[in-house]
Amino acid sequence: MLELFIQAALIIFVLVTLLWLWSVAIKNVSIVDIFWGMGFVIVNSYYFYLSEDHNARQLIIAFLVMLWGIRLSAYLASRNIGKGEDYRYQEFRQKFGPKRYWWFSYFQVFLLQGALIMIISLPLLVINTDNSDVNFLDGIAFILWVIGFIFEAGGDFQLAKFKRNPANKGKVLTTGFWKYTRHPNYFGDAAIWTSFGLFCIASGTYWPIISVVIMILLLLKVSGVALLEESLKTTKPQYKEYMEKTSAFLPRLPKK
């Protein structure tokens, strides 16, 4: 298992290095976001390809990871390409200085993201090296994945549609999935990775669940909810009222 992990890590290392060189050439670090979903697809596909026997759980996971990863990368590509560098990376570029950020970004962004992909994908490694039969916990995990995918993909679709209307500029989306949680896409992502953790537990291994915890902490405290809301509170006056009525993460009925 360790040898397989190292091989996949080397593949990701090469890919993020090439991606970094491209970002230096075009002076846009944002392209790393597009790679995030596909990174997991590549890692899981490698694990799946080298597994000796393809049982039902591995086939299900191969399909679910591919569907999730390709959709996410395609969505981020449609949202980011042609829009310039994301404000987060622009702030980093100014903070560390444009003259040195070209090499600093390799460690701060690209290698870090590659390492996170490998750590968070640990449940996928275990699933693809286990040959046990599916059980009732796999069914629960699949239902949770479907719920997560609906929230993530549905939330992204509703937000993209909302932003396409010029009349909504500066306004806050408070309908659809966004009526029940301020971040349906992040909740959906957390649900999806929790489902992968449950698939892993269904195979009889528990320790990779730490990867799910790391993913949820990233979504809540680092690059997801916390970071985005700091920006929204200052750029959209209506957002503070929205925060008082609507759950930050877990879906629930809005407060009256």
Side-chain angles (χ1 to χ4, degrees):
M1 187 183 296
L2 179 59
E3 182 180 356
L4 189 59
F5 177 85
I6 293 173
Q7 291 171 0
L10 287 173
I11 293 173
I12 292 298
F13 170 74
V14 171
L15 291 176
V16 296
T17 300
L18 293 174
L19 199 63
W20 167 70
L21 291 173
W22 185 19
S23 78
V24 172
I26 64 175
K27 296 181 180 180
N28 188 343
V29 176
S30 298
I31 59 175
V32 73
D33 294 337
I34 301 172
F35 178 73
W36 178 252
M38 285 305 302
F40 291 100
V41 174
I42 292 167
V43 169
N44 189 71
S45 297
Y46 185 74
Y47 291 154
F48 179 81
Y49 177 73
L50 291 184
S51 62
E52 295 180 358
D53 298 306
H54 296 149
N55 60 24
R57 183 180 298 111
Q58 292 169 2
L59 290 168
I60 292 170
I61 288 296
F63 174 74
L64 297 183
V65 172
M66 192 168 295
L67 181 59
W68 169 80
I70 292 175
R71 188 216 69 87
L72 180 60
S73 288
Y75 168 73
L76 292 175
S78 66
R79 192 184 70 176
N80 295 347
I81 292 177
K83 304 294 176 59
E85 190 172 54
D86 187 271
Y87 75 94
R88 296 168 298 164
Y89 303 120
Q90 289 181 6
E91 289 178 356
F92 286 135
R93 192 177 292 277
Q94 292 301 318
K95 179 180 178 181
F96 296 106
K99 291 184 178 180
R100 69 167 179 159
Y101 191 64
W102 69 273
W103 62 263
F104 193 84
S105 64
Y106 180 56
F107 300 94
Q108 184 218 21
V109 179
F110 291 87
L111 285 186
L112 175 60
Q113 186 162 126
L116 287 173
I117 288 173
M118 294 309 304
I119 293 171
I120 294 170
S121 65
L122 284 173
L124 308 179
L125 171 64
V126 172
I127 292 168
N128 280 287
T129 54
D130 175 80
N131 293 319
S132 61
D133 295 328
V134 296
N135 53 58
F136 77 98
L137 194 54
D138 289 292
I140 295 174
F142 181 78
I143 292 172
L144 182 59
W145 186 94
V146 171
I147 293 172
F149 189 78
I150 290 172
F151 266 86
E152 184 178 27
D156 284 341
F157 173 78
Q158 290 172 349
L159 182 61
K161 183 179 179 181
F162 181 81
K163 286 184 174 182
R164 281 198 298 267
N165 187 347
N168 292 327
K169 187 175 182 179
K171 294 182 180 180
V172 178
L173 175 58
T174 60
T175 58
F177 292 110
W178 302 83
K179 179 180 179 180
Y180 305 102
T181 167
R182 302 200 297 270
H183 302 280
N185 44 0
Y186 291 146
F187 164 74
D189 208 24
I192 285 172
W193 280 99
T194 302
S195 78
F196 291 148
L198 289 178
F199 277 115
C200 185
I201 292 174
S203 71
T205 306
Y206 295 81
W207 63 265
I209 200 71
I210 188 63
S211 300
V212 179
V213 175
I214 292 172
M215 183 63 169
I216 293 175
L217 287 175
L218 287 172
L219 290 170
L220 286 174
K221 303 296 184 181
V222 183
S223 62
V225 174
L227 181 65
L228 183 59
E229 295 213 323
E230 281 300 315
S231 171
L232 290 172
K233 283 189 292 186
T234 57
T235 58
K236 296 187 177 183
Q238 300 173 341
Y239 199 78
K240 290 183 179 180
E241 181 182 352
Y242 177 57
M243 291 176 68
E244 294 174 357
K245 295 181 179 180
T246 311
S247 170
F249 195 67
L250 295 174
R252 63 165 173 78
L253 291 174
K255 295 179 181 179
K256 295 183 179 178

